[in-house]
Amino acid sequence: MLSGGLDSTVCMAIAVEDTGSAPLALTFDYGQRTRRELARAAEIAAHFGSEHLVVGLDMRAWGGSALTDSAIEVPLAAGGPSGHDPAIEVPCAQAGPPAAGNRSSIPVTYVPARNIIFLSVAMGVAEARHLDAIYIGINALDYSGYPDCRPEFVEAFKQVAAVGQKRGVEGNPVDIRTPLISMTKAEIAAEGTRLGAPLSLTWSCYLDAEQPCGACESCILRAKGFAEAGLPDPGVAS
Amino acid sequence: MLSGGLDSTVCMAIAVEDTGSAPLALTFDYGQRTRRELARAAEIAAHFGSEHLVVGLDMRAWGGSALTDSAIEVPLAAGGPSGHDPAIEVPCAQAGPPAAGNRSSIPVTYVPARNIIFLSVAMGVAEARHLDAIYIGINALDYSGYPDCRPEFVEAFKQVAAVGQKRGVEGNPVDIRTPLISMTKAEIAAEGTRLGAPLSLTWSCYLDAEQPCGACESCILRAKGFAEAGLPDPGVAS
């Protein structure tokens, strides 16, 4: 599963190393505001010599996220492009109900059921194409306010694969592999560099300007990751 | 979730009775060969006074089923339109691996991960629209060669809703309701008749001719259901 971002690109490089083959690259055009991501995904798939399957599923039809709904503003750190105040919420949120009056620390960039939908489609593609595993670059440490990036979500989904798919009930479920799930962003940057992943092609920014904004949650986490790894970010003009 | 078939229409009538409201009707245009189904779904949603959300997701992009891939023939009983031999497999299939040489009794009309994908999207829609429950007309008795129609699949998916969605981890998961799951087709026909569901608008046939073919698995099960219930089928010209 390849979004065109840093994490999914490093995940794909790991899949290439693990399997010794060029895996099918699956990208979703879900109406994301960052259209640039899609073009980058195509370039990255080509870099790996992979077939690139782009599945269209317009999540704007039901809305609910800053990433698909232009009526909801993407939060930016102070001094960022819009001069907006932070309100960026990062930590890996709690399980269980939040304190009264606190809707939880899950950010407005959460897209309802996004990874659930993406994994479901990937399971259909894997079954139809007779592929044995899905690699998904979700990560529970760095920006998992998102519940669909956590290990317990992956475990629940493996059970769906085991009982809800033909090949699962036949005793051969599609495997779901999450090599980045416990890595810090610094470790992801280092691993991508070690593997020679095409990091200069990746796009992480939640906005869609010529250059990354440097002020959204995703840009900030990426910059912090490369800085902590002591590596230059080849995806950002210096 | 409303496909335009008998089961989903009866399920929707039950949802109307349960909730006393006109629920959002969610239909998928997944590239199904029975385009007629989509038009019927719109008419049925209008009958109930419901908003009708049609989500496009072209499953032909990856293929793998007789219902989306015109290279795979829909099996028909002898004497049916194509004069083809039966090979129709009906029983609610086994869990666990099949006997050697037998790929399982799951029919070629199985669409890889179809209900997994549909339920995932429904969970996204429910969360974005602040809806508390999904009604899905799956049924484990009559034609569940399909693994994604069985209770263990629904249970696994409820766990995904509990741990993989924002509102789930906040202690308020979207509920998944399957009022038809243990009904026979005769009971479904009777329940739909009792509730005054618009059964004349429903479309069950796997083919897309002016009238239902009467020979595909779906037509045969429907006819058997109405016959066993001792009711006329208002969806079939006499």
Side-chain angles (χ1 to χ4, degrees):
Chain A
M1 297 173 70
L2 178 70
S3 70
L6 174 66
D7 292 1
S8 66
T9 301
V10 174
C11 187
M12 187 158 175
I14 293 171
V16 169
E17 189 182 54
D18 278 2
T19 65
S21 67
L24 173 74
L26 175 63
T27 299
F28 294 89
D29 181 354
Y30 61 97
Q32 59 267 63
R33 288 158 72 174
T34 52
R35 307 305 295 166
R36 215 163 284 269
E37 228 181 41
L38 293 170
R40 298 298 184 92
E43 291 176 46
I44 293 160
H47 168 93
F48 286 112
S50 287
E51 177 185 349
H52 190 213
L53 179 60
V54 180
V55 169
L57 175 59
D58 192 349
M59 296 189 181
R60 288 173 301 189
W62 59 89
S65 170
L67 296 197
T68 55
D69 185 344
S70 56
I72 304 176
E73 207 161 342
V74 173
L76 299 172
S82 80
H84 225 259
D85 218 57
I88 294 182
E89 298 152 330
V90 176
C92 180
Q94 71 297 329
N102 172 15
R103 287 285 296 161
S104 88
S105 66
I106 296 169
V108 295
T109 50
Y110 168 73
V111 180
R114 183 173 60 177
N115 285 344
I116 303 176
I117 295 167
F118 289 177
L119 258 186
S120 297
V121 172
M123 280 172 46
V125 173
E127 187 164 44
R129 296 288 188 93
H130 308 289
L131 303 171
D132 289 330
I134 297 164
Y135 281 79
I136 178 170
I138 58 179
N139 173 259
L141 281 192
D142 260 346
Y143 43 125
S144 264
Y146 301 152
D148 51 2
C149 291
R150 295 178 189 153
E152 54 267 42
F153 162 66
V154 177
E155 290 311 307
F157 220 89
K158 283 183 177 174
Q159 182 61 12
V160 169
V163 303
Q165 268 198 301
K166 179 174 173 172
R167 61 179 283 174
V169 301
E170 288 173 356
N172 181 31
V174 177
D175 194 18
I176 302 171
R177 298 183 186 161
T178 57
L180 309 190
I181 200 155
S182 304
M183 289 188 189
T184 64
K185 197 61 98 184
E187 287 168 337
I188 293 169
E191 181 72 353
T193 303
R194 180 185 77 76
L195 290 168
L199 303 184
S200 66
L201 298 175
T202 62
W203 183 266
S204 299
C205 181
Y206 283 155
L207 302 183
D208 203 28
E210 273 299 314
Q211 289 292 323
C213 74
C216 73
E217 178 188 0
S218 186
C219 279
I220 289 172
L221 282 162
R222 177 177 174 134
K224 187 166 158 282
F226 277 96
E228 286 176 7
L231 293 165
D233 180 351
V236 175
S238 54
Chain B
M1 297 173 70
L2 178 70
S3 70
L6 175 66
D7 292 1
S8 66
T9 302
V10 174
C11 186
M12 187 159 175
I14 292 170
V16 169
E17 188 182 55
D18 278 2
T19 65
S21 67
L24 173 74
L26 175 63
T27 299
F28 293 89
D29 180 355
Y30 61 97
Q32 57 267 64
R33 288 159 72 175
T34 52
R35 307 304 296 167
R36 216 163 284 269
E37 229 181 42
L38 293 170
R40 297 299 183 89
E43 291 176 46
I44 293 160
H47 167 92
F48 286 112
S50 286
E51 177 185 350
H52 190 213
L53 179 59
V54 180
V55 170
L57 176 59
D58 191 349
M59 296 190 181
R60 287 173 301 187
W62 59 90
S65 170
L67 296 197
T68 56
D69 185 344
S70 57
I72 304 176
E73 206 160 344
V74 173
L76 298 171
S82 80
H84 226 260
D85 217 56
I88 294 182
E89 298 153 328
V90 175
C92 180
Q94 71 298 326
N102 172 14
R103 286 285 294 162
S104 89
S105 66
I106 296 168
V108 295
T109 49
Y110 168 73
V111 180
R114 182 172 59 177
N115 286 345
I116 303 177
I117 296 167
F118 289 177
L119 258 185
S120 297
V121 172
M123 281 173 45
V125 172
E127 187 165 44
R129 296 290 190 92
H130 308 290
L131 304 170
D132 288 330
I134 296 164
Y135 281 79
I136 178 169
I138 57 178
N139 173 259
L141 280 191
D142 260 344
Y143 45 123
S144 266
Y146 301 153
D148 51 2
C149 290
R150 296 177 190 153
E152 54 268 41
F153 162 67
V154 177
E155 289 311 308
F157 220 89
K158 284 184 178 173
Q159 182 62 11
V160 170
V163 303
Q165 269 198 302
K166 179 174 173 173
R167 60 180 285 175
V169 301
E170 288 173 356
N172 181 32
V174 177
D175 195 18
I176 302 171
R177 298 182 187 162
T178 57
L180 309 190
I181 200 154
S182 305
M183 289 189 189
T184 64
K185 197 62 99 182
E187 288 169 337
I188 293 168
E191 181 71 351
T193 304
R194 181 185 76 76
L195 289 168
L199 303 185
S200 66
L201 298 176
T202 63
W203 183 266
S204 300
C205 181
Y206 283 154
L207 304 183
D208 203 28
E210 274 299 313
Q211 289 292 324
C213 75
C216 73
E217 178 189 0
S218 186
C219 279
I220 289 173
L221 282 163
R222 178 177 173 132
K224 187 166 157 281
F226 277 96
E228 285 176 7
L231 293 166
D233 180 352
V236 175
S238 56

